[in-house]
């Protein structure tokens, strides 16, 4: 007997990175090829191009690849991927004209000295003359690997092992790889077509969608991966959207793909984020090109001036005729799962590209849907409440973290920076954290969620990279000074030997393309 209350079919509307990550996770977890399994179908339009939500990822991507059974060798070869160990923030703290001796800092992926069981920041704050004035240099090796263009691992390492790292990738190529994996191995059904209408049941849930190519498509659970258009969660349900453009002021981006001037040009092993007069530029190196963009506030500059800024960054030899201007609607839906519709990706929300949260949020949403999959329709309200609570928390935390980069700046060379450093544009929650951190370092109690997007370590790297002054009382220090000194000495020795321990980034990429990592 068929149970009418069981979830038997999931329909994902929209492809791209969000649609195909979701499809791959659901297909793998639900074992679509097995008899009686939940069927997963994805419908995407050929008329709607993939929006590059960003070519930078989090270390979570390694977990995603392992979970889906995609080898690191295949991934690097198919997506033009390179390694990412950090983000480098240049000109965020001081006016460029000030000629400060070090107007940059790194937010690396590795954990500061001592790991989660020792707060090395306390000792660094007390002993800057001994450890050095720059937090990232004093507690991490990855600033050194990035400055010297070293890879995070050797070709002899196991796949996904090495220093903590993520990737830069071609998002469109990654979606194609996931599509092939989902359809051929996980049994996901792929349809090409455009959704033109939606039919609802008596209780207001979605009963079916209409496609001019495939007619009426029924399902039990619908996943909205339609990007900024939010075809289901927005156009059909109009769930509340919380704008954050009063906090994060950028609202446009100009993007361009730039070929390398020389075939063997060094490929940075980090994202380069350079603050500009009314925003910032990203610079990401893939195997055969750079992805570069200027994120800016149209309230503080003109589109024409933004193009001039990007041209000045790239140099006159770079042709901007192929550049694309993308308006950004920043904010998130406070109800991302409504009835039998779940929004994942840009349909759920968008912060801005700083810190590359877009793809990571897709991964987290797909994993959540898999771990809390509602096999019975009766459990939809429970799963929806948990999903919404979790992701509203995540979005709020991301907004605070990204805003902190702007708010702590000492730049005063443009109204954009004056507005960003005004308390009126900061959230109350960020101001409360910063007030607390005047007298203590960020600690575990400040980040209670099990899967924090940006935990203690990330907040410390940005906080002290922006030269924030935390005043630590000597009585607050646990007597581990000797251990802290020992760790710092070991780090200095590692830095001296690191060029013998790790290959150049370009060299490792070449080895992967030619030989691949060993099958272990």
């Amino acid at each position: 007997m068929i149970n009418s209350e069981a979830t038997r079919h999931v329909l994902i509307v929209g492809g791209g990175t969000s649609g195909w990550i979701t499809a791959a996770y659901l297909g793998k977890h639900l074992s679509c090829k097995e008899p009686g399994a939940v069927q997963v179908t994805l419908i995407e339009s050929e008329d709607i191009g993939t929006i590059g939500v960003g070519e930078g990822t989090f270390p979570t991507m390694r977990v995603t690849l392992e979970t889906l059974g995609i080898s690191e060798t295949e991934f690097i070869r198919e997506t033009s991927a390179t390694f990412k160990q950090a983000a480098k923030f240049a000109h965020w703290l001081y006016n460029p004209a000030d000629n400060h001796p070090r107007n940059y800092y790194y937010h690396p992926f590795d954990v500061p000295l001592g790991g989660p069981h020792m707060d090395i920041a306390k000792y660094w704050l007390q002993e800057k003359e001994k450890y050095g004035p720059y937090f990232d240099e004093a507690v991490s090796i990855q600033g050194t690997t990035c400055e010297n263009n070293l890879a995070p691992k050797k070709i002899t390492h196991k796949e996904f092992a090495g220093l903590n790292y993520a990737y830069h990738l071609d998002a469109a190529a990654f979606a194609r790889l996931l599509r092939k994996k989902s359809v051929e191995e996980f049994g996901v059904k792929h349809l090409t077509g455009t959704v033109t209408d939606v039919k609802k049941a008596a209780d207001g849930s979605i009963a079916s969608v209409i496609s001019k190519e495939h007619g009426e498509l029924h399902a039990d659970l619908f996943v909205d991966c339609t990007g900024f258009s939010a075809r289901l969660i927005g156009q059909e349900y109009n769930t509340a959207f919380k704008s954050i453009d009063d906090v994060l002021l950028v609202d446009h981006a100009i993007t361009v793909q730039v070929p390398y001037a020389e075939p063997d040009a060094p490929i940075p092993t980090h994202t380069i984020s350079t603050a500009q007069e009314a925003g910032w530029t990203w610079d990401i190196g893939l195997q055969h090109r750079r992805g570069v963009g200027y994120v800016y506030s149209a309230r503080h500059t003109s589109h024409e001036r933004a193009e001039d800024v990007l041209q000045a960054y790239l140099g006159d030899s770079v042709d901007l005729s192929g550049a694309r201007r993308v308006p950004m609607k920043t904010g998130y839906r406070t109800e991302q799962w409504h009835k039998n519709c779940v929004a994942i990706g840009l349909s759920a929300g968008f912060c801005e590209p700083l810190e590359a949260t877009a793809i990571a949020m897709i991964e987290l949403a797909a994993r959540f849907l898999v771990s809390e999959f509602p096999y019975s329709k009766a459990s939809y309200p429970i799963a929806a409440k948990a999903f919404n609570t979790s992701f509203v928390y995540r979005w709020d935390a991301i907004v605070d973290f990204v805003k902190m980069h702007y708010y702590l700046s000492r730049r005063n060379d443009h109204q954009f920076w004056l507005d960003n450093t005004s308390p009126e544009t900061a959230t109350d929650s960020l101001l409360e954290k910063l007030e607390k951190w005047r007298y203590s370092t960020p600690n575990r109690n400040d980040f209670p969620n099990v899967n924090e997007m940006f935990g203690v370590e990330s907040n410390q790297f940005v906080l002290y990279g922006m030269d924030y002054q935390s005043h630590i009382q000597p009585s607050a220090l646990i007597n581990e000074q000797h251990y802290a000194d020992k760790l710092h000495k070991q780090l200095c020795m590692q830095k001296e030997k690191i060029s013998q321990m790790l290959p150049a980034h370009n060299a490792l990429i070449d080895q992967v393309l030619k030989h691949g990592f060993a099958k272990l």
Side-chain angles (χ1 to χ4, degrees), residues 216-287:
E216 190 169 7
L217 302 171
H218 293 270
D220 301 302
L221 183 66
F222 293 81
V223 184
D224 187 342
C225 295
T226 59
F228 283 127
S229 70
R231 180 64 182 84
L232 304 182
I233 201 74
Q235 294 182 36
E236 293 300 323
Y237 282 127
N238 194 27
T239 63
F241 183 86
K242 181 179 179 180
S243 175
I244 56 173
D245 63 4
D246 57 335
V247 179
L248 300 176
L249 308 184
V250 295
D251 54 16
H252 282 78
I254 303 175
T255 70
V256 65
Q257 296 180 4
V258 182
Y260 289 112
E262 301 293 338
D264 58 349
I267 303 172
T269 183
H270 53 278
T271 300
I272 304 169
S273 300
T274 305
Q276 306 290 351
E277 59 186 42
W280 60 277
T281 50
W282 79 74
D283 198 334
I284 285 175
L286 301 184
Q287 291 171 26

Side-chain angles (χ1 to χ4, degrees), residues 115 172 192 203 229-230 247 249-250 265 279 309 332 488:
T192 301
D203 64 356
S229 70
V247 179
L249 308 184
V250 295
V309 170
Y332 60 88
H488 183 257

Side-chain angles (χ1 to χ4, degrees), residues 12-24:
I12 302 168
V13 180
T17 311
S18 59
W20 286 111
I21 285 179
T22 304

Side-chain angles (χ1 to χ4, degrees), residues 7 191 202 256 375 451 461:
T7 300
L191 300 175
V256 65
Y375 288 95
N451 295 309
F461 277 120

Side-chain angles (χ1 to χ4, degrees), residues 36 59 64 131 139 221 282 304 343 358 401 477 496 512:
T64 290
Y131 295 160
V139 305
L221 183 66
W282 79 74
E304 293 74 21
F401 183 68
L477 295 173
E496 291 178 1
V512 175

